[in-house]
């Protein structure tokens, strides 16, 4: 890439599903890690008051002085909230439990749905030259998630391959449609990624078949297998790609990154 002055607008992707425990945070961290390995520059926005993405990337609580809360509700400057991580090419705006009151505080704000959108479009954004912003959404369709969808170019939906997985998706799709109609007409669906897939389990196969039949092309070909290394990595504050680089989970997230880049017609160089 040249050093010429360039207008650098990152692609913003909201990782969303109102169900908890489906792999949003895991996908955010490991897709970021896989993209960063390929040389892309990533900013993660931790939009979940649980702060799992922050913890999973080794950001100590004491280091979280300025967080997503300040970014959204206190007009904080990007420079004051973006932290580097130990991982090359990955930065983060961390969150803490303080963010749990944001949903209610937002209601009284006239620009309640647009605050994250505006925050991510501060002029300073260009200087960071991020290629992608991944927003790790909370497990709910609240105003924080709406902020993510209004700010984003697309929504990436992790779908846990288990019974009832498809239930709740219609509600998510409805919310996406509402956001398109009201605030962000260009919002796309980046894709649905099957997570915690167990090839030996008939149920996983059935859920995959149902998802592909009902959702068609938007389902990524790459499936993320259930892999214990994936679940161990956060307690070592690492993406699984660092923790166990050749584990099945790591390989799958690298595949997902390739498919994601291909869908976006993005190549390096
Ligand atoms: P969410 O952010 O949607 O709540 P998480 O990403 O935190 O979901 O995942 C929920 C739990 O499942 C976590 O304990 C995580 O480590 C585990 N997990 C996620 N993906 C996998 C996987 N592919 N294999 C095994 N465990 C996984
Ligand atoms: Mg999470």
């Amino acid at each position: 890439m040249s050093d010429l002055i360039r207008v650098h607008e990152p692609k913003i992707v909201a990782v969303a599903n109102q169900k908890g425990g489906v792999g949003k945070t895991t996908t955010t961290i490991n897709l970021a890690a896989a993209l960063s390995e390929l040389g892309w520059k990533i900013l993660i926005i931790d939009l979940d008051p649980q702060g799992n993405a922050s913890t999973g990337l080794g950001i100590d609580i004491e280091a979280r002085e300025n967080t997503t809360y300040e970014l959204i509700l206190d007009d904080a400057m990007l420079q004051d909230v973006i932290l580097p991580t130990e991982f090359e090419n990955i930065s983060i705006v961390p969150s803490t439990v303080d963010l749990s009151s944001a949903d209610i505080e937002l209601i009284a704000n006239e620009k309640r749905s647009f605050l994250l959108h505006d925050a991510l479009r501060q002029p300073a954004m260009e200087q960071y030259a991020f290629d992608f912003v991944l927003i790790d959404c909370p497990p709910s369709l609240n105003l924080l998630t709406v902020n993510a969808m209004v700010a984003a170019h697309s929504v990436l939906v992790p779908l846990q391959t288990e019974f009832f997985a498809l239930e709740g998706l219609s509600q998510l799709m409805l919310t996406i449609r509402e956001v398109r109609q009201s605030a962000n007409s260009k919002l796309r669906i980046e894709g649905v990624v099957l997570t915690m897939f167990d090839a030996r389990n008939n149920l996983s196969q059935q859920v995959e078949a149902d998802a592909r039949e009902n959702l068609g092309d938007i389902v990524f070909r790459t499936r993320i297998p259930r892999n214990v290394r994936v679940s161990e990595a956060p307690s070592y504050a690492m993406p699984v790609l660092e923790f166990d680089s050749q584990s099945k989970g790591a390989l799958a997230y690298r595949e997902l990154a390739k498919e994601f880049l291909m869908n976006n017609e993005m190549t390096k160089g």
Side-chain angles (χ1 to χ4, degrees):
M1 280 189 280
S2 77
D3 289 324
L4 293 173
I5 298 169
R6 61 201 166 117
V7 179
H8 204 295
E9 254 199 58
K11 166 142 190 183
I12 305 175
V13 181
V15 181
N17 184 329
Q18 75 274 23
K19 271 199 185 182
V22 299
K24 289 181 292 295
T25 301
T26 305
T27 297
T28 302
I29 289 176
N30 291 300
L31 179 59
L35 291 169
S36 72
E37 276 186 356
L38 296 169
W40 300 96
K41 241 187 126 184
I42 320 295
L43 174 64
I44 291 174
I45 308 289
D46 192 344
L47 198 58
D48 186 345
Q50 294 179 83
N52 293 339
S54 310
T55 309
L57 286 166
I59 308 295
D60 290 337
I61 281 283
E62 303 85 71
R64 299 181 211 172
E65 201 178 321
N66 295 310
T67 66
T68 314
Y69 180 95
E70 281 75 24
L71 181 65
I72 295 180
L73 281 145
D74 288 346
D75 294 326
M77 305 291 287
L78 284 170
Q79 305 89 292
D80 294 329
V81 295
I82 293 178
L83 297 178
T85 70
E86 281 176 42
F87 309 100
E88 203 182 347
N89 291 333
I90 305 180
S91 300
I92 189 167
V93 181
S95 79
T96 66
V97 69
D98 288 350
L99 192 59
S100 52
S101 63
D103 189 47
I104 291 172
E105 291 172 49
L106 281 167
I107 293 172
N109 194 304
E110 216 173 290
K111 298 180 71 183
R112 60 180 91 72
S113 304
F114 291 89
L115 293 171
L116 183 60
H117 172 281
D118 294 352
L120 294 179
R121 282 156 181 87
Q122 293 177 29
M125 189 57 135
E126 254 180 51
Q127 292 149 30
Y128 288 95
F130 291 119
D131 298 296
F132 298 100
V133 177
L134 302 182
I135 308 173
D136 187 22
C137 290
S140 117
L141 291 173
N142 61 11
L143 268 174
L144 286 172
T145 298
V146 168
N147 263 269
M149 290 181 179
V150 173
H153 299 106
S154 68
V155 183
L156 177 63
V157 184
L159 189 74
Q160 186 179 351
T161 28
E162 53 145 30
F163 203 56
F164 293 136
L166 288 162
E167 278 192 17
L169 263 197
S170 51
Q171 219 185 334
L172 180 67
M173 297 301 172
L174 192 67
T175 305
I176 291 173
R177 210 172 310 146
E178 281 170 5
V179 168
R180 276 189 192 134
Q181 283 164 5
S182 60
N184 183 5
S185 62
K186 292 192 177 136
L187 183 63
R188 289 185 51 249
I189 294 174
E190 189 65 47
V192 173
V193 58
L194 302 173
T195 63
M196 295 178 244
F197 187 83
D198 182 353
R200 291 161 306 181
N201 185 331
N202 284 337
L203 183 58
S204 274
Q205 312 264 16
Q206 189 58 51
V207 172
E208 177 178 22
D210 284 354
R212 294 197 189 280
E213 187 183 322
N214 286 294
L215 304 168
D217 275 354
I218 64 168
V219 183
F220 281 96
R221 272 176 290 125
T222 308
R223 302 171 305 203
I224 308 300
R226 184 176 283 285
N227 174 225
V228 67
R229 305 302 269 168
V230 172
S231 56
E232 288 168 351
S235 54
Y236 294 86
M238 285 181 205
V240 73
L241 280 84
E242 293 268 340
F243 177 62
D244 188 346
S245 175
Q246 295 307 310
S247 61
K248 285 190 171 165
L251 299 178
Y253 274 110
R254 288 197 190 93
E255 276 304 306
L256 182 67
K258 275 197 236 158
E259 195 179 346
F260 170 87
L261 290 169
M262 214 153 52
N263 292 348
N264 282 283
E265 294 176 354
M266 288 183 77
T267 49
K268 206 67 189 153

